[in-house]
Amino acid sequence: MLENYLKWDSLFDQAIKEAKEINFEIKTDKVIFTGMGGSYIPGKIAEILDYNVDYRAITGIPRKVDENTTLIAMSYSGTTSETIQAVKEGLEKGSKIVVISSDGNLEKIAEDHKEKIYFIKVKGLSQTRYSFPVLITPLLKILSTVSINKINLDELKEGVIENKEKYKDLGKKLSTKIIGKIPVFYASTYFPIAIRFKQEINENAKSPAFYGEIPEVNHNEVESYVRGKDLLLPIVIGNESIDDVTASVLNAERIIPPSSSKLKNISSLVLLAGLTSIYLADTLKENPEKLNIIPKCRERTSVIFKG
């Protein structure tokens, strides 16, 4: 499955060209992004950038949306129950709604409410996690209308091209160090990337992994290494002073962002997460495509939100 990540430069190229056709402009004071799993993380990663609006990413159904809210709902499959319910909630409350999806019920809902929903149809690869480029790119194009700093989408592709070969090697090394340990990914600015590493290892390698946000972990979680140091493998993502504190205290592995460009760092570090998880899956002889327990959760969740 390694090839699915290694073709991200061409996938970003495709997504950047298609994003030029997006003409939605945010005109509200508040923007809420909602998605689940691999369709949540693009919205969370977008929090790394700075905006002229109140922007936040959540999972599930937002508690407070109104006419002054732009609700951006992402579900690659278009069938995620929680995200569908969130869109229905947004419609009921009169929010401005953007839906990003490849198919499914969300496309039908958008078709039925053309006057209220701006629909962006995307086409990626077989799994949501492989399709990150086609999800993050249109989202950032929309958010560029309220970004404090200029968003150059080409930098997403450049980050992959510049770091692909280096990260193939680093991914192998990280996966080797993870064997026999439970990795815990820590970060401050790049905290959403820590979440992504955890997701990838969970789903591709079928293995436990966790994350923590710096500096919060320095006030409690670090103490757990008194008993957990032989079990846990701390990995710190970032090179800020506060990241150095956590890394030095825990003698952690380091992942240093390769660029001064946040966009290049986003695409390349997410690529590294995918590569690392695939190398780990290969070592553990796990099939990244096979889902063992997730389908049971989806089936039972859909019953809750039915109707």
Side-chain angles (χ1 to χ4, degrees):
M1 309 304 168
L2 199 64
E3 68 276 4
N4 290 315
Y5 293 98
L6 295 179
K7 61 177 67 169
W8 272 15
D9 48 353
S10 60
L11 209 56
F12 268 120
D13 189 50
Q14 165 200 322
I16 291 166
K17 290 176 182 176
E18 293 175 353
K20 293 178 181 178
E21 304 300 318
I22 297 172
N23 58 11
F24 183 89
E25 184 177 352
I26 295 172
K27 297 181 179 180
T28 58
D29 294 330
K30 182 169 61 174
V31 179
I32 296 178
F33 175 97
T34 182
M36 301 295 294
S39 294
Y40 158 67
I41 202 65
K44 187 66 178 175
I45 286 175
E47 288 185 345
I48 292 172
L49 306 177
D50 298 316
Y51 307 102
N52 285 309
V53 296
D54 176 11
Y55 172 80
R56 60 192 176 94
I58 66 164
T59 57
I61 303 166
R63 292 184 178 180
K64 293 183 179 180
V65 293
D66 52 31
E67 294 179 356
N68 196 34
T69 303
T70 296
L71 177 67
I72 304 176
M74 180 178 288
S75 169
Y76 184 60
S77 68
T79 60
T80 307
S81 300
E82 295 93 335
T83 310
I84 292 171
Q85 188 63 33
V87 170
K88 291 179 178 179
E89 187 85 4
L91 285 169
E92 183 179 326
K93 298 295 177 60
S95 301
K96 283 67 177 176
I97 302 174
V98 177
V99 169
I100 302 173
S101 181
S102 67
D103 201 355
N105 295 343
L106 275 178
E107 183 173 13
K108 184 179 185 306
I109 292 172
E111 183 69 23
D112 292 341
H113 297 84
K114 283 184 178 180
E115 73 285 359
K116 296 181 179 179
I117 297 177
Y118 187 90
F119 181 69
I120 301 173
K121 189 177 180 69
V122 296
K123 183 179 180 181
L125 302 176
S126 62
Q127 302 291 335
T128 306
R129 55 195 180 279
Y130 303 156
S131 303
F132 177 77
V134 305
L135 296 174
I136 188 75
T137 305
L139 173 62
L140 292 183
K141 174 61 185 296
I142 291 171
L143 291 174
S144 70
T145 63
V146 291
S147 175
I148 291 176
N149 300 309
K150 179 178 172 58
I151 293 179
N152 179 4
L153 295 176
D154 287 330
E155 291 184 0
L156 293 168
K157 178 177 68 174
E158 292 165 5
V160 171
I161 293 172
E162 291 171 8
N163 295 285
K164 184 192 297 187
E165 293 305 316
K166 176 176 69 175
Y167 279 179
K168 284 165 65 176
D169 291 336
L170 181 56
K172 289 178 183 177
K173 292 176 182 176
L174 284 173
S175 68
T176 299
K177 291 179 179 180
I178 290 171
I179 296 295
K181 297 272 192 176
I182 296 177
V184 188
F185 297 93
Y186 296 110
S188 55
T189 296
Y190 290 97
F191 173 60
I193 305 291
I195 301 175
R196 176 66 173 204
F197 266 92
K198 180 257 188 191
Q199 288 182 340
E200 293 284 64
I201 289 176
N202 289 163
E203 199 161 356
N204 281 335
K206 324 299 180 191
S207 294
F210 299 95
Y211 59 79
E213 186 171 12
I214 299 172
E216 171 60 24
V217 297
N218 295 340
H219 294 267
N220 45 64
E221 188 167 324
V222 292
E223 198 67 17
S224 68
Y225 284 81
V226 171
R227 290 183 175 273
K229 64 181 179 181
D230 294 329
L231 176 65
L232 305 175
L233 176 67
I235 302 174
V236 172
I237 305 166
N239 56 353
E240 298 179 29
S241 298
I242 196 65
D243 300 322
D244 296 339
V245 171
T246 308
S248 62
V249 167
L250 297 181
N251 192 28
E253 296 292 327
R254 299 297 300 269
I255 298 176
I256 304 298
S259 172
S260 60
S261 161
K262 285 184 176 178
L263 289 182
K264 288 184 180 182
N265 290 338
I266 285 169
S267 60
S268 60
L269 291 173
V270 174
L271 173 67
L272 177 60
L275 296 176
T276 301
S277 68
I278 293 296
Y279 289 129
L280 183 60
D282 287 346
T283 301
L284 298 175
K285 302 189 184 311
E286 292 286 356
N287 178 4
E289 295 276 341
K290 183 180 180 182
L291 298 180
N292 302 283
I293 302 173
I294 289 176
K296 298 176 185 177
C297 292
R298 288 176 178 166
E299 180 182 356
R300 296 179 187 184
T301 300
S302 65
V303 173
I304 296 173
F305 293 102
K306 187 171 290 185

